[in-house]
Amino acid sequence: MTPSVPNPAQWLDRYGDELFRFALSRVSDTTVAEELVQETFLSALDGLATFRAEASERTWLFVILRRKIIDHYRRQARSTRVGLEEVEAGGPTEADFFNPENGHWTNAQAPVSWLNADAALEQQELHEVLARCQARLPAQQSAVFAMRFVEELSAEEICQELGLTASNYWVLVHRAKLQLRRCLEKHGLGKN
Amino acid sequence: MLRLITCQNATRLLDQRPDRALPWGPRASLWVHLRYCPYCQRYAKQTVLLAEWAKAAATTREHSGPTLSAAAKQRMRERLAAGG
């Protein structure tokens, strides 16, 4: 295999659109996605010496972009960090879903069947609704959810990135899931 | 000893399952709860679906989203020229 030599003058034309789509698939904001791509190219320029010839230039740029996206999630989560006491289980958010007296689902929030999910929403519509629902989550929940289920980082890695304890992390994941499923049902899932 | 748990606790345990192996006690309590609670049975399936759909949605957008605008490319060219 011919060793690959980075060619910064070609990066934008060769990889710009692909990197942008990847960034936009994670952050859902055009301006932020553009900034992430630009930061990726600038970091790559700074780190040209660290490029290993056996790796592909494209793979290397994507590794840098993924790191930028995780940094973005971290900033997003930390900008709205709530006090630890507010993240404790059983806080006001979960009380919306479970009867405080017996811990069982409230009538209004009990999960309905999604057996007809395919009929209720086309796949593309489902993806769009889910993206909108994710965007409405509180920033910390949104970041934790994306890092775990889109970037597929481990719980340990996320706790380390965001400075969370394991129990706070699980509360955030749980609340994100509760709110996402409620949001999807509000937008038509499981209603036909 | 086997402890009966609430839906709130059962769903918390369900959301911990992808990240850790539940100890015997909570695992048994969850198993018993899921035998008689149709709502948590649904939640168990839906919480997995949510994660799968989020990944699938992002993957789809990676390949079908818009491209960089000409203006954005121009801005980046200038910035890269200044930074290179």
Side-chain angles (χ1 to χ4, degrees), chain A residues 78-94:
Chain A
R78 294 201 165 181
S79 67
T80 57
R81 178 182 285 276
V82 292
L84 291 185
E85 68 283 359
E86 292 174 63
V87 182
E88 290 301 317
T93 310
E94 283 181 46

Side-chain angles (χ1 to χ4, degrees), chain A residues 23-47:
Chain A
L24 194 59
S25 75
R26 273 33 182 192
V27 299
S28 301
D29 179 302
T30 305
T31 308
V32 175
E34 286 172 3
E35 282 169 8
L36 289 168
V37 173
Q38 181 168 290
E39 285 174 24
T40 297
F41 287 143
L42 290 172
S43 291
L45 273 181
D46 281 347

Side-chain angles (χ1 to χ4, degrees), chain B residues 62-81:
Chain B
E62 281 171 30
H63 302 292
S64 61
T67 54
L68 276 170
S69 67
K73 280 188 178 170
Q74 186 54 34
R75 277 198 305 276
M76 279 186 212
R77 273 202 185 88
E78 288 165 10
R79 185 72 185 79
L80 288 170

Side-chain angles (χ1 to χ4, degrees), chain A residues 13 17 21 25-26 34 89-90 94 98 102-105 111-112 114 148-150 169-170 174 177 181, chain B residues 6-8 11-12 15 19-20 40 42 46-47 51 55 61-62 65-68 73 75 77 80:
Chain A
D13 290 329
D17 287 336
R21 277 198 294 263
S25 75
R26 273 33 182 192
E34 286 172 3
E94 283 181 46
F98 301 102
N102 60 25
H104 295 300
W105 291 98
V112 299
W114 287 359
R148 180 66 185 88
F149 300 108
V150 179
Y169 161 80
W170 280 318
H174 188 221
K177 293 275 195 81
R181 60 169 308 291
Chain B
T6 64
C7 295
Q8 189 169 12
T11 54
R12 280 184 196 148
D15 283 331
D19 293 315
R20 67 170 187 141
C40 289
R42 282 181 187 154
Q46 293 170 358
T47 193
K55 180 68 185 174
R61 287 195 301 271
E62 281 171 30
T67 54
L68 276 170
K73 280 188 178 170
R75 277 198 305 276
R77 273 202 185 88
L80 288 170

Side-chain angles (χ1 to χ4, degrees), chain B residues 16-48:
Chain B
Q16 290 176 17
R17 277 203 308 202
D19 293 315
R20 67 170 187 141
L22 297 177
W24 183 89
R27 195 167 74 238
S29 296
L30 178 61
W31 186 86
V32 170
H33 185 91
L34 291 176
R35 294 307 100 189
Y36 68 79
C37 181
Y39 298 129
C40 289
Q41 283 172 25
R42 282 181 187 154
Y43 186 88
K45 291 176 187 152
Q46 293 170 358
T47 193
V48 173

